[in-house]
């Protein structure tokens, strides 16, 4: 059986980002890109955003085009303070 | 310390604003019109003798003890049923009244056992008191006549005599002592709304009876205790009082079970709890209670409680008891080692919605200031995080808008995805009272919950939607309201952004949102949906109450916004009787969110990226907070599986049982190097723990809980912690072992720090709470006594924001392999994962979780009522017994999740709300089939659990 438990974190992140995009697709056009970026900036911990950018590098990363468009407004995480 | 005595005014308070003045025994008394003479007397301090009247229920006028004389009127009317009127001159004590009263008492006593000295109510019996009050000195009739007292008379069985009913685990019914005052019957009807009791027979032969001459436990009785409290004699008595005796002191405290937050008097004898009695001045419950808060506190002294800290190297080892010092040192060393090895962000903490505000605040402080990161989350994640997100976006505040009293002014109540009679019973009783007085009810729920049809309550509309289609249905109601022109334009123009409204109105008006168009996916009859929408928009004050059936979906946040839209469009915000009201699950869900338990928010819902807020804490705590959000629970588990998250401190939360996709939770925990569980019992999560810190119960500590109405209620310590320390002390000691140097000596000092740092709590102090009983935040300069109703003149965010809410089907879909939709819920007598209630007598009402399935689906699969069935989803499988019912529609199955052996979350998937990651508990595609016993996972799990609960025998230190 294809257990849900074996989904990788990367798969989950792509799924989550696309879920956010799905909501903002239904919002007025001018708010959508900022909406996705703000949401991810607000709620995603740096290592999630780190992974996000790593996945973004890959071709066929599975991201919704709206997520890709929003990516330039998503904050790159800085180094973790020691 | 003394026993808190509450005044019984005899009849309920009149709500009239018109005042009248009369004279009673020479005193002028001014009372609201409609007040009884009995109550008016009591307000003047004059106690008229009474037996059948009590102020929780309407007067009945049957005992004839409360008679009075009124100048200029004939006869001796009953003061409980005679209204006070302007200018009356009343006498409560005359020779004539004295004679009548003595005669009445004589009759009562002649049919009552005279075993006062050994009676459980001795010292707390109104019959005794009244005999004393009227000066009864002898009884002329003797006790040989017709009576209900003796089982036998002259060796012949007495037909009138009935044996005690001891079937209820918490109270007894002894018919021999009943004076047939009917207070219990009225309490069950008026206060509880269950109608379980009747007076059987007539005249002298009449007696109280549960249902159709049943035992209490087999009747409709839900064991709320209202009748026991109303009973003036020992007829209905708590078993604990029979066993222990009368209490000698009491303190007011708050129930630690659900988000209603009922106030109770904890009545004590020394450090032994005699009983919990609902407090009439409690503003959430107004003197009522449910079986959990009233009776189910036995877990606090249950033998399973762990009282000593324990450690082990590996989770396969048995536990080893250690001293507190060793435990703190071990945790501090481990956490520091892990951070050194894997980085500052490799550990985190989880706060509890069951613990106090003060304790929650300390855990998030430990994480932020001590661990130096923001990896703190709370179990509210899995229930009401979408409420916070949705209401904040639309209204500007992450909380419900009303107080519970508001329901008394509501004309149309809409309940979405909640089952108040089971989940929030005291609120349900208050709601039913209002419904019996004529308010209309709309229920939106896949299942026919009790409120849809119960004694003297019937929903005007029940929309039994398919699980997962809330957004479609609520948006479609908006479609009806907008296209039929039923919206409140004046309110919207004044209070909301008109352009946003127009955008939203155009969106909902499109034909694909019409009830007819969505029937295909929601299964809701379009006509019924239209009627419901019209009723809500035009029926007067409309209030929406919702629960986990709204939030625990992949579109949970969207549904909350759709609900907020509906309230704004109909102008149902900002006054009594209206509003948007989340029914919170656990006692302190609201409080734990308020206290900064979310990884992106500091106390008071201020985002961690906000520099000025961080600054307040940086200065006070002497640290530099990280400006980035931390990990949420599911993200922590993912990071654990990925190897970047290694240690966690979990206070009062059983994530293995309460979080979705058990296997993933287990994998995450198993991947960590130091799991610290701080709880009362070795819960399921503790099977994966390396350190166990014993917790304390709400009876053993001071603090506050914040209920679903934003009400901050005091929790008061009535006994010493069996484990030695309140939870806040344990967190403080742990923090100090990590070098933080905290020195709180009482929880009030923690609240002072909250007030100092958090504007919405600025005015909250323990002194204020002691004085006012409770306050609702915001409580500050602008609202020194708190805020019962929010958004009165304007929204917290300024203009109310309408948001488009498009229905998006969940990816958890039915198909040939998983053709049924499973949805989950809870029942009255059990609470959440059941760790507490399973350790009380409440198990008599719910021995196991059952799978509710429609006869049609059952028949197709050859399943009979009571059969063991296997339920399988994409995530896993479990087994439980079937219950065939028409409460669920064909295609839908339902279960509760109170017992660990059921492991319902083995089958829930990891789909979650798009905005908050709140898990989608309410929809799982499943298949159901016959089974011949527990699943492999259940067997394996039981074995693992058994192994991991071993505690090594203590070696004799003197060897
Ligand atoms: S315990 Fe509650 S439900 Fe049961 S009979 Fe008494 S009042 Fe009614
Ligand atoms: S059981 Fe108690 S309350 Fe009920 S009728 Fe008898 S004496 Fe009155
Ligand atoms: S469980 Fe809820 S309704 Fe019941 S007594 Fe406690 S707070 Fe009140
Ligand atoms: S108290 Fe008034 S008639 Fe019984």
């Amino acid at each position: 059986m294809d257990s849900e438990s074996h989904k990788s974190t990367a798969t989950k992140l792509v799924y989550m980002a696309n879920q956010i995009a799905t909501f903002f697709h239904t919002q007025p056009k001018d708010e959508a890109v900022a909406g996705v970026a703000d949401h991810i900036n607000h709620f995603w911990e740096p290592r999630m955003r780190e992974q996000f950018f790593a996945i973004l590098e890959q071709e066929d990363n599975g991201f919704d085009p709206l997520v890709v468009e929003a990516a330039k407004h998503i904050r790159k995480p800085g180094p973790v303070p020691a | 310390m003394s026993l808190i005595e509450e005044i019984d005014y005899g009849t309920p308070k009149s709500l009239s604003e018109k005042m009248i003045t009369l004279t009673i025994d020479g005193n002028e008394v001014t009372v609201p019109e409609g007040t009884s003479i009995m109550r008016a007397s009591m307000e003047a301090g004059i106690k008229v003798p009474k037996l059948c009247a009590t102020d929780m229920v309407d007067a009945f006028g049957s005992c004839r003890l409360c008679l009075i004389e009124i100048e200029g009127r004939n006869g001796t009317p009953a003061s409980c049923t005679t209204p006070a009127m302007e200018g009356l001159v009343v006498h409560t004590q005359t020779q004539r009244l004295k004679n009548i009263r003595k005669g009445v008492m004589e009759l009562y006593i002649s049919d009552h056992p005279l075993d006062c000295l050994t009676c459980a109510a001795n010292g707390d019996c109104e019959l005794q008191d009244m005999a004393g009050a009227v000066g009864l000195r002898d009884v002329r009739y003797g006790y040989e006549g017709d009576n209900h007292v003796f089982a036998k008379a002259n060796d012949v069985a007495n037909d009138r005599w009935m044996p005690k009913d001891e079937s209820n685990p918490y109270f007894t019914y002894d018919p021999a002592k009943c004076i047939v005052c009917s207070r219990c019957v009225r309490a069950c009807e008026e206060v509880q709304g269950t109608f379980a009791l009747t007076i059987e027979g007539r005249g002298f032969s009449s007696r109280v009876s549960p249902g159709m001459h049943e035992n209490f436990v087999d009747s409709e009785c839900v064991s709320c205790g209202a009748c026991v409290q109303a009973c003036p004699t020992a007829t209905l008595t708590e078993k604990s009082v029979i066993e222990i005796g009368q209490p000698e002191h009491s303190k007011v405290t708050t129930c630690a079970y659900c988000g209603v937050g009922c106030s109770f008097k904890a009545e004590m004898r020394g450090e032994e709890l005699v009983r919990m009695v609902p407090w009439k001045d409690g503003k959430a419950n107004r003197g009522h209670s449910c079986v959990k808060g009233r009776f189910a506190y036995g877990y606090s002294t249950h033998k399973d409680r762990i009282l000593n800290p324990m450690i082990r190297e590996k989770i396969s080892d048995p536990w080893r008891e250690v001293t507190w010092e060793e435990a703190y040192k071990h945790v501090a060393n481990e956490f520091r080692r892990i951070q050194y090895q894997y980085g500052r962000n490799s550990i985190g903490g989880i706060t509890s919605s069951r613990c106090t505000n003060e304790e929650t605040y300390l855990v998030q402080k430990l994480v932020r200031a001590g661990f130096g990161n923001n990896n703190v989350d709370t179990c509210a994640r899995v229930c009401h995080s979408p409420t916070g997100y949705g209401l904040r976006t639309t209204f500007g505040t992450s909380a419900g808008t009303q107080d519970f009293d508001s329901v008394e002014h509501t004309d149309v109540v809409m309940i979405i995805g909640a089952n108040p009679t089971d989940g929030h019973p005291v609120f349900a009783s208050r709601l039913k009272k209002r419904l019996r007085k004529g308010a209309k009810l709309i229920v939106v729920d896949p299942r026919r919950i009790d409120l849809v049809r119960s004694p003297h309550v019937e929903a005007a509309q029940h929309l039994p939607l398919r699980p997962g289609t809330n957004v479609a249905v609520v948006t479609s109601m908006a479609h009806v309201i907008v296209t039929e022109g039923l919206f409140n334009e004046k309110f919207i123009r004044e209070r909301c952004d008109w352009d946003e409204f127009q955008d939203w109105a155009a969106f909902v008006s499109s034909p694909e949102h019409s009830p007819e168009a969505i029937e295909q996916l929601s299964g809701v009859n379009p006509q019924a949906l239209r009627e419901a929408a019209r009723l809500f928009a035009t029926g007067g004050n409309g209030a929406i109450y919702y629960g986990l059936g709204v939030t625990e979906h992949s579109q949970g946040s969207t549904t909350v916004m759709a609900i907020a839209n509906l309230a704004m469009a109909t102008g149902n915000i900002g006054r009594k009787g209206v509003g948007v009201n989340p029914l919170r699950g656990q006692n302190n869900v609201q409080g734990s969110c308020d206290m900064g338990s979310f990884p992106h928010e500091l106390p008071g819902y201020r985002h961690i990226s906000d520099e000025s807020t961080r600054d307040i804490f940086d200065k006070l705590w002497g640290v530099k907070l990280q400006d980035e959000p931390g990990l949420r629970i599911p993200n922590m588990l993912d990071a654990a599986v990925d190897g970047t998250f290694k240690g966690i401190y979990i206070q009062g939360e059983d994530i293995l049982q309460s979080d979705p996709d058990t296997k993933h939770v287990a994998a995450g925990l198993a991947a960590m190097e130091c799991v610290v569980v701080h709880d009362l019992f070795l819960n399921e999560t503790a099977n994966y723990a390396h350190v166990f810190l014993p917790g304390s119960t709400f009876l053993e500590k001071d603090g506050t809980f914040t209920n679903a109405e934003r009400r901050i209620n005091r929790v008061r310590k009535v006994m010493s912690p069996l484990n030695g320390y309140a939870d806040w002390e344990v967190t403080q000691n742990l923090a100090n072992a990590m070098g933080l140097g905290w020195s709180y000596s009482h929880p009030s000092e923690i609240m002072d720090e909250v007030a100092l740092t958090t504007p919405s709590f600025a005015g909250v102090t323990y002194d204020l709470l002691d004085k006012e009983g409770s306050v609702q935040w915001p409580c500050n300069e602008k609202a020194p006594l708190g805020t019962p109703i929010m958004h009165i003149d304007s929204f917290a965010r300024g203009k109310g924001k309408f948001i488009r809410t498009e229905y998006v089907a969940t990816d958890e879909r039915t198909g040939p392999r998983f053709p049924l939709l499973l949805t989950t819920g809870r029942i009255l007598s059990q609470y959440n994962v059941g760790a507490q209630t399973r350790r009380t007598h409440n198990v008599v009402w719910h021995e196991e979780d059952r799978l509710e399935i429609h006869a049609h689906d059952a028949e197709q699969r050859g399943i009979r009522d009571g059969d063991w069935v296997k339920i399988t989803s994409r995530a896993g499988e479990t087994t439980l017994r079937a219950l065939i019912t028409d409460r669920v529609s064909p295609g839908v199955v339902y279960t509760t999740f109170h017992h660990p052996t059921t492991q319902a979350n083995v089958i829930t998937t990891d789909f979650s709300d798009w905005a908050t990651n709140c898990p989608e508990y309410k929809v799982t595609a499943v298949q159901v089939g016959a089974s011949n016993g527990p699943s492999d996972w259940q067997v394996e799990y039981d074995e693992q659990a058994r192994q991991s609960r071993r505690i090594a025998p203590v070696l004799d230190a003197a060897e």
Side-chain angles (χ1 to χ4, degrees), chain B residues 88 201 484 555 644 670 710 956:
Chain B
L88 290 187
E484 297 189 5
Q555 280 202 292
T644 63
R710 296 170 277 106
D956 193 348

Side-chain angles (χ1 to χ4, degrees), chain B residues 341-357:
Chain B
Q341 208 171 331
Y342 302 98
R344 201 209 262 210
N345 292 344
S346 58
I347 61 173
I350 296 181
T351 73
S352 172
S353 306
R354 281 163 35 200
C355 288
T356 63
N357 286 318

